[in-house]
Amino acid sequence: MGHREEILDILRTNDGVYTSGEELADILGISRTMIWKYIVSLREDGFVVESMTNRGYRLVSTPDLLLQGEVQRNLNTDFIGKQMYYFDEIDSTNRKARELAPECPDGTLIIAERQSEGRGRMGREWYSPQGGIWLSLILKPDISPDHIYRLTLVAGVSVAETLAGMGIAAQVKWPNDIIIHEKKVCGILTEVDAEMDAVNFVIVGIGINANIELDMLPSILGVSSTSLKEYTGGDINRVMLVRRLLERFEQDYGAFISGDFNSILKRWREHSATLNRRVRIITRFKTIEGEAVGIDHDGALVVEMDDGTLEREITGTCVHL
Ligand code: BT5
C-alpha cells in the first residue's frame, strides 16, 4: 500500500473522526507537509477530506470512481483483480488487456471510467460513457481453444447472479447479453489468443450500463437498451458491484476450470431469457428461425426448426421473436 492509500485507510478506520496531521506523520514516518500533499491529491480525485486547525483531517465522503484502492479494499479473491490497471479514459479495455496480457498474471483486471473506442463483437461499436462499468479480465486457462465460447456463458452467469444479489432481476440472453425486461444492460466480449491446440490468454470484456442516463447513449439504442440506474431509479454503488462481480466470477471460473461446466450450464438455464422462445439466429453464413429448446455442453444453442429438425449454433446474433 502506498502512503496515499495508507492515509485513506487510517481516515476510513477513524470513520469521520478527526486524525491529527502529526499522528498521520508519525505512523507513516513522513513529514506533515507530505501528509498535506497527499490530502490535496485525494481531494483532486474527489475525496472530501475536511481539515481543521488543531484537530487534523477527517474523511467526509469518497467519490464514485472505480479507483484501485476502492475496488481492492476488502476484495475477497485469490487472484481475480489482485493486479489491476485503472484508467480515467482509454480507447478499449479489451485492447489494452491484449497488449498487457503477455506480461500480466492470470486474473489481471483492466478498468476504465470511459472508453473512446469500446468494442462489441465483429467490430461493432460499444458506447461507454462515464457512469458505466467497463472492464476486462486477462485469463490464462489451460483449456482447449474449442472451449472458449463457454467462458462467455460463465461470465454471463456471474453478472446475472451478481445483479440478482442486488435485487435486480436480470436474465442471460444467448450468447453474450444480459438483459432486464428484454433490454440490454450488459454485453460480454470474449477474445482469445491461441495456437492450434493451446490457449495463450483469453480476454473477457464486460460492459455494464450502470449509472447511465439513457440519453447518454445514441437514440437508436434507447429502445433496445437499459441501465441499472433506469431500472432502480437511482445510482448504484459501482465499486461494490465490481467487487462482488470479481468474487462471483472467481468462484464460477474456478468451477469451469476444474471441469464442472455442467453446474454453470444449469444456472445459465435458470437465468435464461432465450430458452423456450421463438428465435432468429443470424450467423455469418445463414439465418435460421425456430424454437430455442436447449443449450448443449459446448454452450451451443439448440434450435428446433419448424420441420422438427434440430440445429446447433455456437455463436451468432440472436433475436427474440
Ligand atoms: C457486445 O457486443 O455486447 C459486447 C460488448 C462488450 C463491451 C465491453 S466494455 C469493456 C470491454 N472493452 C471493450 O472494448 N469491450 C468490452 P455485441 O453483441 O456485438 O453488441 C454490440 C451492439 O450492442 C452494438 O452494435 C449496439 O447495437 C449495442 N450497444 C452498443 N453500446 C451499447 C450500450 N452501452 N448498451 C447497450 N447496447 C449497446
Side-chain angles (χ1 to χ4, degrees), residues 58-193:
R58 78 185 181 106
L59 182 63
V60 177
S61 66
T62 53
D64 176 32
L65 293 177
L66 300 166
L67 300 166
Q68 178 166 2
E70 298 298 298
V71 169
Q72 288 185 334
R73 197 167 57 89
N74 301 331
L75 176 66
N76 192 10
T77 58
D78 287 334
F79 68 103
I80 296 287
K82 283 292 174 193
Q83 178 144 333
M84 165 174 173
Y85 295 85
Y86 168 86
F87 299 90
D88 181 42
E89 179 163 332
I90 198 169
D91 46 5
S92 152
T93 56
N94 261 44
R95 198 205 54 75
K96 189 70 184 174
R98 258 180 186 276
E99 178 188 315
L100 294 173
E103 317 298 326
C104 283
D106 198 9
T108 301
L109 168 69
I110 322 287
I111 202 161
E113 300 290 347
R114 293 181 301 282
Q115 297 184 116
S116 54
E117 290 170 42
R119 300 198 308 230
R121 296 178 302 156
M122 292 171 285
R124 293 183 195 132
E125 212 172 336
W126 181 261
Y127 297 94
S128 318
Q130 179 75 36
I133 294 170
W134 323 122
L135 65 83
S136 300
L137 286 166
I138 298 170
L139 303 171
K140 303 194 167 173
D142 187 10
I143 56 172
S144 145
D146 297 344
H147 292 174
I148 293 305
Y149 283 114
R150 300 178 182 184
L151 260 174
T152 304
L153 304 187
V154 176
V157 165
S158 301
V159 173
E161 292 189 354
T162 302
L163 294 180
M166 296 170 72
I168 299 167
Q171 289 182 297
V172 289
K173 175 177 177 230
W174 185 88
N176 67 316
D177 293 351
I178 310 298
I179 60 175
I180 300 177
H181 297 150
E182 288 301 312
K183 293 184 173 188
K184 183 158 173 169
V185 70
C186 165
I188 298 168
L189 175 65
T190 306
E191 297 181 293
V192 61
D193 184 289

Side-chain angles (χ1 to χ4, degrees), residues 142-151 192 194-199 202 256 261 296-300 312 314:
D142 187 10
I143 56 172
S144 145
D146 297 344
H147 292 174
I148 293 305
Y149 283 114
R150 300 178 182 184
L151 260 174
V192 61
E195 316 289 323
M196 283 295 277
D197 53 0
V199 168
V202 184
F256 169 68
F261 186 50
D296 74 8
H297 199 71
D298 292 324
R312 288 172 73 255
I314 191 77

